[in-house]
Amino acid sequence: MRTVLNGEVHVRYGQIYVESVVWGYAMDEYFAGQSNGLCGASAPGGLFLNTGLHTGYVGFTVEVLDAEPPTDERWEDVVEAPFRPKATETLLVEWAGEDFWELELEEIDYRVRYSAVGMDAARDQDTRRANDPGYDRYLLQFWPAPPSPDHVIKQTSEIAAYWHDFARELPEPPSDEERALLVDWEGRQHQIDEERLRQRAETSAWKGRMPSERLRRVGGNVMGMVTIDRDLLDELEAVPPSTQRSIARWAAYRAYAAAGLAEIGWVSRGLDALDQGRELPPPFDHIDRTWEALFEEERVPHSIVSSLEGSVPYMLQQAMALPAIFAATDPDPLRAAVDSLYAAAATFGPEYPTLFVQLRLAFPLLTANTPPPVREPDLLKGLLAHFPEDDPREEEAEDRVEERAEDRAEKKAERKDGGQGPEGGSEAAGGRTENVRGGAPQDAPGESAAAEAADPGADAATRPSERDAQAEHDGREERDERGARTEHDGRGGARGPVASPVIPGARRPTSTSGGATAVDRP
């Protein structure tokens, strides 16, 4: 016999554990399918031990034996259960891991006996403080034995009876095969959840649209382009490599022209070589010499531009433009287009949208591949995007149209009935009625007829007939209704035409070929 522990251990919530695996099971899983509720052994590689005391120190002894020991009648509650460690290290562990003891068990099948005394007195005590007497003690014994079901050897205390009833009401635990399938499923589910999180993060980083594998691998300043024009990346990827190369050259020239460098001799020669597909001449044959020429050449202007988002107000524009020519020579035409356009955008600073408008005008093939609008990656905003709030101005316009249509229908019904409503029409109301459009008062039909009878000699040519007056009134209402519909459609409804914006200074292309092989210089 080997005594591992003979002293006191600290318990909380009336619990202490034996662990040979990382903690990963709920209390129910330890006791499921058992008849005893003091020593839970259904979860693989662990034991869940209940005590009478809620919080404090209890007497505790652990023994490792070679064979089954005799039962000691001094113990009031005794249970047994099977146990097999799942690792080379098996520990007795306090509730929050404050202390632990190595049990030095082999990875074989054991029978474990858990004996207790004084559980009810300790339950009534609840918490044992520094100078309080101790009422409950426990003995945990292990010996080699083949697996067999747990059972209650002796039950005396009420708290033990409570825990036994708790265990017996639980459903049967899963079998080893079912548990293995569950672990496999949970592992797969974890992988699926991780992949979903990765895709959400990537979708957010790419502004709501997952990139193709080609864009994901292109590198360079692709993520910088995502922040300023996500659609342009998909448009660039969709055009042929020859167009991508032409766009790279176009962007390099635009950057150098915006920075006032394009007409300087050595810069102009480099741009000519880029247009013709030749090797770049000195000093472009080495980037360090190019930087030296940029800062030492007296003819090189020095101008300031803000960063793309405007957060950095003072950046040397010529330094922003310089990388464009090197980017345009990249062996990968897509990366050449992406990096040279980003350098050109940095040269333009906050005015870079004008550059991209000019780009799409110079290369119409880009707009033929514009992807659908990007929605916000945030799920709530995505849902709101599907269900936008109604524009109150649209509702007001629709209400005006419906009210006028109803008024017109009522007036036609009154004319059909001879101008009399259900209770005598406007005559019953007496006298004059206000014009429905807020104009001057009009005579009621009865007054008009009386006036005509009183003055039979009046000139008919100077007094329009009632039919003509009503036709004119209806025409005005129809024109007002068409005006209301036009006003409604022009306020953001899907029916009205939208004028295309015109950007000052943007040059329209002279051809629709998708961009010439030579750079279109202004």
Side-chain angles (χ1 to χ4, degrees):
M1 183 185 75
R2 177 167 54 89
T3 301
V4 178
L5 171 65
N6 186 18
E8 289 189 333
V9 298
H10 193 273
V11 298
R12 294 187 187 182
Y13 299 98
Q15 300 170 11
I16 192 168
Y17 321 100
V18 172
E19 297 178 2
S20 64
V21 293
V22 177
W23 179 270
Y25 297 98
M27 181 179 181
D28 289 4
E29 295 178 275
Y30 281 94
F31 291 97
Q34 293 192 171
S35 60
N36 98 83
L38 296 183
C39 178
S42 293
L47 298 174
F48 193 113
L49 307 173
N50 281 318
T51 64
L53 189 71
H54 182 277
T55 303
Y57 284 94
V58 299
F60 210 95
T61 301
V62 180
E63 298 175 347
V64 180
L65 310 169
D66 296 326
E68 179 180 358
T71 303
D72 189 340
E73 294 300 327
R74 291 176 298 176
W75 297 101
E76 298 174 346
D77 293 284
V78 183
V79 299
E80 287 185 2
F83 175 69
R84 183 183 181 91
K86 291 294 183 180
T88 57
E89 185 178 67
T90 303
L91 307 173
L92 177 70
V93 184
E94 292 181 350
W95 183 83
E98 301 99 326
D99 206 352
F100 59 89
W101 295 264
E102 171 62 61
L103 302 184
E104 299 180 5
L105 299 179
E106 301 178 41
E107 292 185 65
I108 61 174
D109 290 316
Y110 289 92
R111 191 70 175 172
V112 58
R113 180 181 293 169
Y114 186 45
S115 306
V117 65
M119 290 190 73
D120 280 346
R123 179 199 59 184
D124 294 339
Q125 184 184 27
D126 186 73
T127 301
R128 182 186 176 190
R129 295 175 175 83
N131 298 321
D132 292 344
Y135 294 103
D136 54 342
R137 294 183 293 110
Y138 301 88
L139 173 63
L140 186 65
Q141 298 170 302
F142 297 88
W143 67 90
S148 61
D150 79 297
H151 70 281
V152 178
I153 296 176
K154 184 179 182 181
Q155 183 261 310
T156 303
S157 67
E158 293 181 0
I159 187 63
Y162 167 83
W163 285 120
H164 296 333
D165 291 341
F166 160 78
R168 291 162 187 165
E169 293 175 357
L170 295 174
E172 288 291 324
S175 64
D176 292 342
E177 293 78 8
E178 292 171 336
R179 200 181 295 277
L181 289 174
L182 180 61
V183 169
D184 181 64
W185 180 86
E186 288 177 344
R188 292 176 181 272
Q189 188 64 38
H190 180 69
Q191 292 178 349
I192 292 172
D193 292 342
E194 284 191 335
E195 178 61 20
R196 285 175 176 167
L197 289 175
R198 187 196 66 78
Q199 289 186 5
R200 285 183 181 178
E202 187 174 24
T203 301
S204 178
W206 286 80
K207 297 296 183 182
R209 187 186 305 121
M210 286 289 285
S212 66
E213 191 60 33
R214 177 79 175 90
L215 280 177
R216 194 179 281 114
R217 291 183 288 108
V218 73
N221 283 309
V222 66
M223 296 311 297
M225 286 293 292
V226 167
T227 63
I228 59 177
D229 196 328
R230 174 67 179 87
D231 291 345
L232 184 55
L233 284 174
D234 290 323
E235 296 168 2
L236 290 171
E237 183 191 16
V239 299
S242 59
T243 305
Q244 294 168 353
R245 183 67 66 185
S246 297
I247 289 172
R249 295 168 179 168
W250 181 93
Y253 183 84
R254 284 296 187 274
Y256 279 68
L261 299 174
E263 303 306 321
I264 298 175
W266 58 272
V267 177
S268 182
R269 288 190 294 272
L271 292 173
D272 289 340
L274 179 67
D275 287 351
Q276 297 163 15
R278 295 185 286 108
E279 187 175 337
L280 297 180
F284 291 106
D285 56 342
H286 195 284
I287 191 168
D288 289 341
R289 285 193 287 271
T290 310
W291 282 110
E292 291 174 1
L294 184 71
F295 290 112
E296 294 176 1
E297 172 68 52
E298 294 182 356
R299 291 177 296 171
V300 172
H302 289 171
S303 52
I304 299 300
V305 66
S306 298
S307 60
L308 290 169
E309 74 286 355
S311 61
V312 181
Y314 303 111
M315 303 178 69
L316 185 62
Q317 191 175 31
Q318 290 69 32
M320 298 297 101
L322 187 67
I325 195 169
F326 296 103
T329 62
D330 193 281
D332 180 359
L334 177 57
R335 177 163 178 172
V338 170
D339 286 356
S340 57
L341 278 171
Y342 189 77
T347 306
F348 275 67
E351 302 300 323
Y352 73 87
T354 300
L355 171 74
F356 289 166
V357 169
Q358 294 174 357
L359 170 69
R360 289 180 169 99
L361 291 173
F363 297 88
L365 192 58
L366 287 171
T367 56
N369 298 286
T370 301
V374 178
R375 288 191 173 91
E376 283 288 337
D378 182 86
L379 296 180
L380 177 60
K381 291 182 179 178
L383 289 174
L384 294 177
H386 285 288
F387 305 98
E389 294 183 359
D390 292 331
D391 188 342
R393 296 175 302 178
E394 289 190 27
E395 296 182 356
E396 292 173 2
E398 291 174 350
D399 291 340
R400 288 198 299 271
V401 171
E402 292 175 359
E403 289 173 0
R404 289 169 179 170
E406 291 172 359
D407 290 342
R408 190 167 58 254
E410 291 175 0
K411 292 182 180 302
K412 289 181 179 179
E414 290 176 359
R415 289 199 305 273
K416 185 176 180 180
D417 295 335
Q420 300 296 325
E423 301 297 333
S426 51
E427 271 190 322
R432 302 165 63 82
T433 60
E434 292 292 329
N435 186 294
V436 294
R437 301 185 67 228
Q442 296 177 335
D443 289 336
E447 290 183 24
S448 177
E452 188 174 345
D455 189 12
D459 187 1
T462 62
R463 186 175 60 246
S465 67
E466 182 180 348
R467 181 181 300 175
D468 293 340
Q470 188 62 48
E472 181 181 356
H473 179 67
D474 290 347
R476 285 198 304 269
E477 288 195 334
E478 290 178 2
R479 288 194 297 274
D480 291 343
E481 181 182 343
R482 287 196 298 270
R485 287 176 178 171
T486 303
E487 178 185 7
H488 175 202
D489 294 347
R491 279 179 173 161
R495 299 182 292 274
V498 179
S500 300
V502 177
I503 306 299
R507 299 175 59 231
R508 294 192 175 275
T510 55
S511 68
T512 58
S513 60
T517 55
V519 175
D520 177 23
R521 299 187 182 181

